[in-house]
Amino acid sequence: MRLSRGIAAIVLPAVAAMTVTCTTQKSNFTITGDIAGLQIGDTVKLCTLDLPSWNESTAFTIVVDDTSGFSCKGYLEHDQYFILRYKTNEGKEIVADRNGKTFIVRPGDDITFTGRRENIYYSRISGGIYDEPQLAGYLKADDSLGLVRGSYMRNLEEARAAGDTAEMYRWADEFNAFYNNNPGVDRVNALKRAYIDSNTHGTLFLLVERLPGIGYEPIDKVRKIYDNYSEEIKESWYGKKTAEFITRMEAIAPGRPAPDFELVTIDGDTITKETYAGKYLLFYHWGLCPGSIYIDSYVCGLYDKYHRKGLEVVGLTESIATIRDLYGQTLDSAHDSELNATLGNMLKHKWIEVELETEYPENKNISDTYMISGWPFFILIGPDGTLLARNFSEAFYESQEILEKELGNPAHPKEPSPTPTALRRMAKT
């Protein structure tokens, strides 16, 4: 799920440290944790992240047996993106505004984390690329901002544990609105922009940070940035991955023929691209996320307005049973009445639905074919099979404009407004 800052509240793990050395016969990098407050039995996981898919694999699992810190050695064939995750010796995850501490390691690097157990996801990183002053300054400011936002989440959880619903909702609102008119955000953005402007020919950090977002940026802009990279950056591991991903994205850019697909609906019928020849087809990837709560009724409205004029919608969701279960849980809750009504409407979508978590491999393939990686995600295919729009909510507004121009009276689309109560409830779920 891709979430815009300020829209959703997320409870995520945190990390602790330990003194254990993980050695291999051949090692060319070291990761050290100088973390105060560790306790015996705390667990740290160091996982690799495969970009742009975000697939995660555990590289090291370290159980603390010495509270002075941790040190882990390993071998890398190329630069690698990692995430540090943590659980207490009671198996609990520390509440934060992020799900781990991401970092980049190159062969030969000695990386050190410096911080405290309760704030390990905001530890300072040194060594490797992180010794570059401009990057270090930007990351320090960003971590400081996240640390404050994370404290709001901790306050929310404390209120939840105390059964104080009003206070819980207050902190949820504070958390969700954190990035609105926050001068600290402007400072962090300025530091990031200065770092980017000083490195127009690319850096390893920028390569890794930009790689997942290539799927949702104008491909011409992405190509221009990449073409301006230095040859050294282009020839690096992530430089080559970036080039491969750009090529994949160019094949599904708006204006290109939409890839073929074959899907099995929840009714057991098979649909293909040819099923919708001569009509507009909108794929709507939806699920239990604030973005879907935010926009679902407007997708229904678009369908009602243009279905008889040539629009078809196919809903893609991981599991309708999950939606149905939460609907049942909120059925008799006064606090969740708005969310329950929204979920009830989701279960009554008028269009064809396709579940992705099924025994049908063709259903799972649609996410790879069209590079769908979050909710809500939209793909509009024209009557001639041309891909017209593909993105998160931005593509819904683009689709709305296209359909109003081609099937209705041209008008400036009205963006939907979020429903605060439903968003607060989703922040809690």
Side-chain angles (χ1 to χ4, degrees), residues 78-339:
H78 53 73
D79 306 334
Q80 182 63 58
Y81 197 39
F82 281 88
I83 186 166
L84 176 68
R85 300 192 188 278
Y86 163 80
K87 284 188 178 181
T88 69
N89 50 15
E90 297 177 339
K92 296 180 179 180
E93 298 173 342
I94 291 180
V95 179
D97 78 331
R98 55 190 65 174
N99 66 353
K101 180 73 172 180
T102 56
F103 60 104
I104 302 166
V105 182
R106 304 169 302 181
D109 278 350
D110 291 322
I111 301 294
T112 299
F113 292 88
T114 304
R116 297 190 59 81
R117 177 198 196 221
E118 63 271 21
N119 297 323
I120 193 168
Y121 286 175
Y122 310 97
S123 299
R124 180 175 65 88
I125 308 178
S126 58
I129 66 171
Y130 299 100
D131 286 340
E132 198 280 309
Q134 200 170 26
L135 176 59
Y138 156 60
L139 293 177
K140 180 180 179 181
D142 190 52
D143 283 336
S144 297
L145 204 63
L147 184 58
V148 176
R149 188 171 185 245
S151 71
Y152 291 3
M153 178 59 72
R154 288 191 290 276
N155 292 340
L156 184 157
E157 290 302 315
E158 290 173 1
R160 191 207 305 273
D164 191 338
T165 302
E167 191 72 357
M168 183 183 72
Y169 282 165
R170 181 175 81 83
W171 282 111
D173 288 340
E174 291 284 344
F175 182 90
N176 291 335
F178 182 80
Y179 289 102
N180 299 339
N181 302 315
N182 187 327
V185 175
D186 294 336
R187 177 172 178 268
V188 169
N189 288 340
L191 289 169
K192 181 179 181 180
R193 173 47 55 190
Y195 175 72
I196 293 173
D197 290 345
S198 298
N199 294 281
T200 56
H201 296 301
T203 68
L204 178 57
F205 178 83
L206 291 176
L207 269 177
V208 171
E209 184 176 72
R210 285 170 172 164
L211 182 52
I214 289 174
Y216 320 110
E217 295 288 336
I219 197 63
D220 292 343
K221 174 184 175 182
V222 170
R223 172 59 75 179
K224 183 177 180 180
I225 291 173
Y226 177 80
D227 287 345
N228 200 43
Y229 285 160
S230 67
E231 289 304 313
E232 179 183 2
I233 289 294
K234 290 179 181 178
E235 288 302 314
S236 69
W237 169 259
Y238 282 105
K240 292 177 180 178
K241 284 185 73 83
T242 297
E244 292 170 1
F245 192 38
I246 289 174
T247 299
R248 290 183 64 188
M249 294 314 305
E250 286 174 332
I252 54 172
R256 299 294 297 270
D260 292 331
F261 60 85
E262 182 177 295
L263 300 167
V264 180
T265 72
I266 60 173
D267 295 322
D269 299 323
T270 298
I271 58 175
T272 67
K273 181 179 172 182
E274 287 302 312
T275 304
Y276 300 96
K279 295 184 177 182
Y280 286 92
L281 171 62
L282 181 68
F283 279 122
Y284 169 35
H285 184 225
W286 63 281
L288 277 182
C289 76
S292 293
I293 296 291
Y294 173 88
I295 208 168
D296 194 81
S297 64
Y298 293 89
V299 182
C300 294
L302 192 71
Y303 177 82
D304 289 341
K305 186 174 183 179
Y306 294 117
H307 175 56
R308 292 187 178 182
K309 296 182 179 182
L311 170 66
E312 298 288 349
V313 173
V314 172
L316 307 172
T317 192
E318 271 58 34
S319 171
I320 291 177
T322 301
I323 313 295
R324 190 176 293 112
D325 287 346
L326 184 57
Y327 174 75
Q329 294 170 24
T330 58
L331 198 56
D332 299 317
S333 171
H335 291 300
D336 299 329
S337 58
E338 187 177 348
L339 173 64

